[in-house]
Amino acid sequence: MLERETVRAVGTPDVIEDRPSGRRRVPTRYLVLGLLFVITTVNYADRSSLSITGSAVKEGLGFTSVQLGYVFSAFSWAYVVAQLPGGMLLDRFGARRVYAASLVLWTAVTAAISLVGVVTVPVLVALVLVFGLRLLLGAFESPAFPANARVATMWFPTAERGRATAVFNSAQYFATVMFAPIMAWVTHVYGWRWVFVLLGVLGFGLAVLWARWMNTPREHRRVTPEELESIRASGALVDLDERGTVQAERAPLNRRTLARIFSTRPLWGVYLFQYAVNALTYFFITWFPVYLNKGRGLSLVDVGFIAALPALAGFVGGLGGGVVSDAILRRGGSLTVARKIPAAVGMVLTIAIALSNFSDSTTVIVVIMVVAFLGKGVGSLGWAITTDIAPPQAMSFVGATMNACGNIAGIVTPIVIGYLVEATGSFDTALWFVAAHGVLALIALAVMGTIQRIHFD
């Protein structure tokens, strides 16, 4: 039997080396994070699929711009309402079981959208069907990000959590980088229905993988004692999803607990910050492709490839923001400084999106969007901050509350932009509306105050 020892180096803790061959064993938490990244990528591909196929769906089913705006918003209506029940389920049953059920259900709903209009129906019936399926998609996806945050809290020590949350959060951009060209090409060649069939196949495959491989840190068959002790001693809440913990240490959701959660200033700062960030997100995953197609006259295939450029910038910025944040923390900076500085710099860059109104050049506009979404990626540290401050007894409930408040933007943004475009015939006012949320995010960072763990008695 090979002898194993823990090899520590700066920036690469807990790398297990097998001797005498010298092969390095990847820590299990990195594989867990990789699985979260892949699932979240498909998650965002599912929720953004309607934006890529939006023009084709609009023409094929006969929707108006206002109707399409309401369909875009349907996801968030249910997503927001279902956040708190989703968080309660996670605190009660743990991430493994709830995430598996959520993945199966949202995948089934995504695949079902491909069937709308196969048999000719009136426009109003098609509208109700698509709206209803998007409502269900929002409800079934609601536990996903709180579950991601819960898993990151269990598996990653404090000094690595900024990077960990940045990785799964950056999947929203990678989803566009990877899937926007594919979905646009599939729509152009085979029709929009096949996009939803493809996503269904991917989702069911990931559900099987999650159910068979994922587990808690103590119970995972691949985790070494060295890695488990290392992450536990460095701040990972490894017992968070243990069978006894989820029952014994879960805060009772009585009036007193809820009052403490909703009267805590740093949490309201996070809620407001996430709302502002998500307003930028939902512009990008709903109206941005339509803006390029209808507002700038680009073909659908061109839109698929061009939309991937800002998304790639957001992906790079998202990873970079997490790396910079953790680096500041490791070099002695306070948690407040480590999280707020990258967030503030990123939000300043997002305001540049309004400059698109001053140019008719597609190249210039794409460059502006790249800069804006690079900034959005750098500044998207809301989940890292939530894992830093949420009380352990109500970890997922607080994460779900933050996600609910943040995704109210998914209701407001698509509808407001739909009305602005319908009323003005252009996207100019809509872009000013989106840019204003960068300013709102900066205000939220000031409201947040000091970032530190909240503990209930």
Side-chain angles (χ1 to χ4, degrees), residues 266 335-337 339-340 384-385 388-389 448-453:
L335 194 57
T336 301
V337 171
R339 302 304 190 223
K340 282 190 174 183
I385 296 171
D388 291 329
I389 70 176
M448 213 175 288
T450 303
I451 297 174
Q452 59 186 355
R453 177 78 64 197

Side-chain angles (χ1 to χ4, degrees), residues 123-408:
V123 173
L124 182 59
V125 173
L127 179 65
V128 170
L129 288 174
V130 177
F131 189 88
L133 288 170
R134 293 288 291 185
L135 281 174
L136 290 175
L137 181 66
F140 294 146
E141 283 197 1
S142 62
F145 263 76
N148 286 350
R150 188 179 185 89
V151 172
T153 306
M154 284 190 293
W155 281 89
F156 285 87
T158 304
E160 293 181 15
R161 209 172 292 144
R163 284 173 290 173
T165 57
V167 167
F168 72 69
N169 196 46
S170 67
Q172 61 183 286
Y173 311 108
F174 187 76
T176 302
V177 173
M178 180 175 181
F179 282 100
I182 294 173
M183 290 191 290
W185 179 80
V186 170
T187 301
H188 178 72
V189 176
Y190 298 104
W192 61 269
R193 300 181 192 281
W194 287 99
V195 169
F196 298 97
V197 173
L198 171 64
L199 293 173
V201 171
L202 290 174
F204 285 126
L206 287 173
V208 172
L209 178 59
W210 175 273
R212 291 179 63 86
W213 187 80
M214 187 61 187
N215 215 325
T216 62
R218 288 193 188 278
E219 297 177 353
H220 201 290
R221 62 180 180 270
R222 192 181 183 279
V223 174
T224 63
E226 294 87 357
E227 181 181 7
L228 180 63
E229 176 57 26
S230 174
I231 64 176
R232 186 201 63 77
S234 302
L237 304 182
V238 297
D239 298 324
L240 191 61
D241 257 11
E242 296 293 336
R243 292 184 180 91
T245 304
V246 295
Q247 296 297 328
E249 297 185 11
R250 180 168 51 91
L253 290 177
N254 53 31
R255 187 176 301 177
R256 180 172 179 268
T257 301
L258 292 174
R260 295 187 68 174
I261 290 173
F262 290 111
S263 63
T264 303
R265 175 182 164 183
L267 289 178
W268 277 108
V270 176
Y271 300 160
L272 184 62
F273 179 80
Q274 197 69 4
Y275 172 86
V277 171
N278 279 3
L280 298 159
T281 299
Y282 277 99
F283 164 71
F284 188 66
I285 67 174
T286 57
W287 281 105
F288 181 58
V290 180
Y291 164 69
L292 294 176
N293 181 231
K294 300 298 183 183
R296 294 296 171 179
L298 300 178
S299 70
L300 185 60
V301 174
D302 288 340
V303 166
F305 284 97
I306 291 176
L309 297 178
L312 181 60
F315 174 69
V316 173
L319 295 179
V323 169
V324 170
S325 179
D326 283 352
I328 294 173
L329 193 61
R330 288 197 307 274
R331 293 178 183 179
S334 70
L335 194 57
T336 301
V337 171
R339 302 304 190 223
K340 282 190 174 183
I341 293 299
V345 171
M347 291 302 104
V348 169
L349 291 177
T350 64
I351 301 172
I353 199 170
L355 297 177
S356 299
N357 288 331
F358 300 100
S359 177
D360 292 325
S361 168
T362 299
T363 301
V364 171
I365 290 170
V366 171
V367 170
I368 291 171
M369 292 293 177
V370 166
V371 171
F373 283 95
L374 175 69
K376 179 188 172 297
V378 171
S380 295
L381 289 170
W383 280 107
I385 296 171
T386 300
T387 62
D388 291 329
I389 70 176
Q393 302 93 331
M395 178 69 65
S396 293
F397 181 82
V398 168
T401 304
M402 183 274 280
N403 211 25
C405 292
N407 280 278
I408 292 173

